[in-house]
Amino acid sequence: MNEQRDLEHVQELPVENVLELLNTSLDGLSQQEAARRLKIYGANKLSQEHKLNVLKLFLSQFSSALVWLLIAAAVISFFLKESMDATAIIIILLLNAVLGFFQEFKAEKSLEALKKLSAPKALVLRSGKEMLIDAELLVPGDVILLQEGSKVPADARIVKAEFLKVMESILTGESVPVVKKPGVCKKQSVSEQFNMLFAGTDVVSGNAVAVVVRTGMNTEIGKIAKLVTSVERVETPLQKKLEVLSKQLGLLVILISIGIFLVNFALKTGSLINSFLVAVSLAVAAVPEGLPAVVTIALSIGMRRMAKRKALVKKLLSVETLGSATVICSDKTGTLTKNEMTVKKVFCNSKTIDVSGVGYAVNGSFTEKPDDLLLNIGVLCNNADLNHVSNNKVEVFGDPTEIALLISAEKAGLNVHDLRLKYKKVFEIPFSSERKMMTTLHFKDEKTLIVATKGAPEVVLNHCSKYLHNNKQQALTHAKKQEFLAKNNEFASHALRVLAFAFKELRFKNNKAVQEFIARLKQNPDKETLNNLEQGLTFIGLQAMIDPPRPEAVKAISLCQKAGIKVVMITGDHLSTAKAVAEQLGIKGRAVHADQLKHLNLEQEVENIAVYARVNPDHKLQIVQALQKHGHIVAMTGDGVNDAPALKKADIGVAVGSGTDVAKEASDVVLLDDNFATIVSAVEQGRTIFDNIKKFVAYLLFANFGEVLLLLFTTILLFAEHVKALPLTALQILWINLVTDSFPALALGVDPKSQNVMNRPPRKPSEHILSKDLQVLTVFNGLLLAVAATVLFFVTSKYFSLQEARTLTVTLVVLIEAAYVQSVRELYNQKLFSNKWVVLSVIGVVLLQVIAVHTALRKIFKFTVLTFQQWVYVLIIAIIVYYVSLIVSKFLSKLYEPHKH
């Protein structure tokens, strides 16, 4: 660690000295040396802000005042020589605490696992080869490659840079990007070190090669110990609603418990302490304090399921919001389409030439020989690369559009690597979604430079004053420009993505003048010089490529339409291309060009528009805002630096896995496979999770409401002197709560999706956790349980001992509550055996009751052994109650149609 402190002033040294000091080179470290240094310097990460405290988590299970009240009552019972009851109560409370602890522990571990999944990456040179590694594995001396959208993974000294601007607001508070470049800097202030890059900052334009000088806690951000990449743990609106519900129900239950205690005390049906224990036990069992924790588990399980389906959800809140999405705004390229570009047509010398072949195989051909210069410019103004693996197969690297241009050149017999060696690149003005073009500068000979440009046809043509025809440059008239644009429209109308290519030559007196011009460009490229570089170009021709729609995207869009979710396609492509692709995908609605947005009242028209063409990131933000003003829950995809504002503003920001670090950080969900169908799958999972939460909330309320009513009804009977005691002891209440609440509720939390989960409109965020059908079923099932158990206790207490009557009543309550698990699932048309965990939890509940009644445990709970005949009676009543509940469930599902309203 001390060695890193010796590098505090590396900004003051020449790059050569920094490399020497770090014992590295521009080829980077070897894998062996990097591994050795990792042991010395440690992982490149900040100290963990929050570590899971197991003891604290366990003790938090006893934070409820009611639990402490029950413990106090149990202790008093112990001193009053009712030690068996007191000990049993304490043991059951401990078992409940252990269950609660493991539930929350599992949720915490799920979130930690998610954090590892979303760990940042770094592009590094190791022994001269590019490698994508976990940023944690970086060490001082590593050479890293950065481009627009990269998050700087460690403090590093710049070796090379082009048009590099970095947002350092996380360190300096300044919201304006800072220009960065190589050189020696004598400044000490972080904000003034133009030759340094700092961990956690964002590259907003340009590219760079840099050498890592400090990692982990020795970085500038490490010094202020601020965790910049974390999985957020925030309380969701759903959890807040459930907390309010728990408190409201808790207050009601406590008032009823006080009433029961006062009646028991007044009638002297038991000792003061027993009456108190019954009242407090009822309150502890009936107040659903664990609901928010169970919701956390359900949401975290959902996050894991989504991660398996290639959707990495960063926040619990997003799982909940996904199920409410009403609009999905998706980028076209790579998300709705395959992003496997293939050049199909070439236009040059006023001729359209067809190109054969599919994908990245080079064994295609042209119907007529194209102009070599058109293909040359496609190779030179290009950052992709390829390596020949066999005769027709190549290994490709880079952007699919640029790869398609390389394959096109290879099909014509050109050698990509030979061309690049012949015309060495010396400067680049990168492509951006605002400029919609890219320009590179290359040596032609000692006194001549070639300007190579590619981009959107209408943009490139605006920078041209001539066009090339049969190797002769001619003036570009308005008529000729319209002819070329018409050809662009023709290609675009067949769903082809079209790029235009142009060039010009810059001639100088001598090589010295050439070198001076290049040096000026690299050191201080002013806007006027750059603008002049791209003016007066000569138009060469067009290359049109196809990017076929993903078959799964077509199905997913159809599913969205059934689910009441509007799909909006956003693309930088030509309007005609966008319309043609939208038609293939099944997206219905008006299509508009970005230029029309200036004259359009977007807020009024947004509901009718389904396709936006030639869009830049600023338009995305406008689209999100307009949709949200109509009350929509908007999911928006993005991949670039400038998409970040729209991703943050959207209710669900979705970054594609191949996108920039900045976009990923601003998003709520990261698509690991860049696939639109994955977004829809995540929405489906979000809906399923919310359904499951509703199910276990309703189930817990069925059971708890029934138990409260049972004691309330028997208290009334007690007051009327129809019965002589309450049907449940304090210990029996806690036993019912232990066996019926935990496992069935968790089993419901992992229920599979219902068949019609995507055949209904999205739920409104303001919608009550319990829909009307569930509210009615909760009241009905609670009443049904209470009436059945009250009647059973009333009848059996006349013919059997109090202990036998209580055993029968407890057994009936346990069986009915076990049956209610399936009753709530019937609302969602789910069959019993569609979830093995539900089946196992029901069997487990029944077995636990059998064990409690027929083993030595019965002495603790004051149960008696039930005869075969008594079991039959109880089972018959439970089955009748179950089928009555089932009939009501089916009736309510048709009456309210919860999956369609």
Side-chain angles (χ1 to χ4, degrees), residues 437-718:
M437 62 187 291
M438 170 185 176
T439 296
T440 52
L441 196 60
H442 305 260
F443 273 116
K444 183 180 181 184
D445 54 45
E446 287 189 349
K447 300 179 184 178
T448 312
L449 294 173
I450 297 174
V451 177
T453 297
K454 75 168 187 286
E458 65 270 31
V459 176
V460 172
L461 281 164
N462 284 338
H463 288 76
C464 294
S465 57
K466 299 174 185 176
Y467 72 97
L468 194 70
H469 186 78
N470 293 330
N471 290 322
K472 292 181 180 178
Q473 295 189 29
Q474 300 182 21
L476 181 65
T477 63
H478 178 73
K480 265 295 174 191
K481 184 177 177 181
Q482 292 307 308
E483 180 189 321
F484 298 145
L485 287 174
K487 181 56 70 173
N488 170 45
N489 289 339
E490 181 192 320
F491 286 159
S493 65
H494 290 94
L496 295 173
R497 188 177 193 184
V498 190
L499 288 177
F501 299 83
F503 86 107
K504 74 175 179 182
E505 291 185 356
L506 301 177
R507 292 184 175 84
F508 297 83
K509 289 181 181 179
N510 50 44
N511 184 251
K512 185 181 178 183
V514 173
Q515 296 295 345
E516 286 174 354
F517 177 75
I518 294 168
R520 281 200 308 275
L521 272 179
K522 287 186 174 182
Q523 286 173 12
N524 190 21
D526 60 273
K527 284 185 179 179
E528 188 179 348
T529 304
L530 295 178
N531 189 48
N532 289 338
L533 202 62
E534 294 181 321
Q535 294 301 325
L537 301 174
T538 299
F539 174 78
I540 311 166
L542 306 169
Q543 291 198 59
M545 55 199 78
I546 192 165
D547 182 14
R550 292 178 180 266
E552 62 271 29
V554 178
K555 291 178 185 175
I557 288 165
S558 174
L559 191 62
C560 282
Q561 288 163 353
K562 287 180 185 176
I565 301 169
K566 180 180 179 179
V567 178
V568 174
M569 186 177 86
I570 295 174
T571 177
D573 280 347
H574 191 277
L575 183 59
S576 300
T577 307
K579 282 180 178 178
V581 173
E583 190 176 337
Q584 291 175 354
L585 288 163
I587 296 174
K588 296 168 185 174
R590 184 179 167 193
V592 297
H593 190 286
D595 289 344
Q596 293 174 254
L597 297 179
K598 297 172 189 174
H599 316 290
L600 198 70
N601 187 329
L602 187 57
E603 195 176 323
Q604 283 183 4
E605 298 290 333
V606 72
E607 293 280 23
N608 303 317
I609 302 169
V611 178
Y612 296 86
R614 286 292 190 234
V615 166
N616 65 43
D618 290 341
H619 296 130
K620 281 188 170 184
L621 185 59
Q622 291 173 34
I623 295 163
V624 170
Q625 289 170 332
L627 285 165
Q628 286 175 333
K629 283 178 182 175
H630 282 266
H632 284 292
I633 305 296
V634 184
M636 169 67 81
T637 69
D639 59 0
V641 175
N642 295 330
D643 287 332
L647 291 173
K648 284 184 177 178
K649 180 65 181 170
D651 300 279
I652 309 149
V654 182
V656 296
S658 59
T660 61
D661 294 338
V662 176
K664 289 175 190 174
E665 188 176 73
S667 68
D668 306 297
V669 179
V670 178
L671 298 182
L672 302 178
D673 60 357
D674 297 5
N675 195 336
F676 178 80
T678 305
I679 307 173
V680 180
S681 175
V683 170
E684 182 181 72
Q685 190 64 36
R687 288 187 175 195
T688 300
I689 289 161
F690 192 77
D691 282 352
N692 291 346
I693 289 169
K694 286 168 72 175
K695 276 184 264 184
F696 67 62
V697 169
Y699 166 73
L700 289 175
L701 294 183
F702 292 171
N704 295 351
F705 184 55
E707 290 165 28
V708 171
L709 287 180
L710 168 61
L711 285 166
L712 186 62
F713 290 169
T714 48
T715 299
I716 294 167
L717 289 173
L718 196 65

Side-chain angles (χ1 to χ4, degrees), residues 90 96 120 130 150 156 170 233 335 406 457 480 516 583 640 683 728 806:
I90 297 296
N96 267 321
E130 290 185 17
S150 298
I170 196 168
R233 178 86 186 267
T335 307
L406 301 186
K480 265 295 174 191
E516 286 174 354
E583 190 176 337
V683 170
L728 307 172
R806 281 177 169 170

Side-chain angles (χ1 to χ4, degrees), residues 763-865:
R763 72 175 179 88
K764 294 176 182 177
S766 58
E767 184 184 305
H768 195 279
I769 180 70
L770 291 181
S771 47
K772 285 184 180 178
D773 54 337
L774 281 173
Q775 289 173 22
V776 173
L777 193 61
T778 298
V779 173
F780 179 81
N781 278 351
L783 278 167
L784 192 59
L785 184 152
V787 169
T790 302
V791 170
L792 179 70
F793 180 71
F794 177 73
V795 173
T796 54
S797 60
K798 291 187 181 299
Y799 299 101
F800 299 108
S801 68
L802 177 61
Q803 202 166 336
E804 279 181 293
R806 281 177 169 170
T807 305
L808 286 163
T809 305
V810 170
T811 303
L812 180 65
V813 170
V814 169
L815 292 178
I816 290 173
E817 289 187 12
Y820 276 175
V821 177
Q822 182 57 25
S823 175
V824 71
R825 297 178 78 236
E826 279 294 331
L827 274 179
Y828 296 83
N829 299 313
Q830 288 180 306
K831 302 303 176 189
L832 176 62
F833 294 100
S834 62
N835 182 350
K836 67 176 181 179
W837 299 112
V838 164
V839 177
L840 290 172
S841 70
V842 170
I843 292 170
V845 166
V846 175
L847 279 177
L848 283 170
Q849 182 60 20
V850 171
I851 290 165
V853 169
H854 291 280
T855 66
L857 284 174
R858 68 178 180 276
K859 292 178 182 177
I860 297 170
F861 295 107
K862 293 187 171 62
F863 290 148
T864 59
V865 174

Side-chain angles (χ1 to χ4, degrees), residues 194-232:
F194 62 81
N195 62 355
M196 290 291 296
L197 297 170
F198 301 105
T201 58
D202 301 316
V203 178
V204 296
S205 67
N207 51 65
V209 177
V211 59
V212 173
V213 295
R214 291 185 292 270
T215 58
M217 294 303 289
N218 288 296
T219 60
E220 289 298 327
I221 202 163
K223 291 174 187 174
I224 58 173
K226 184 175 182 182
L227 194 66
V228 288
T229 307
S230 66
V231 176
E232 294 186 30

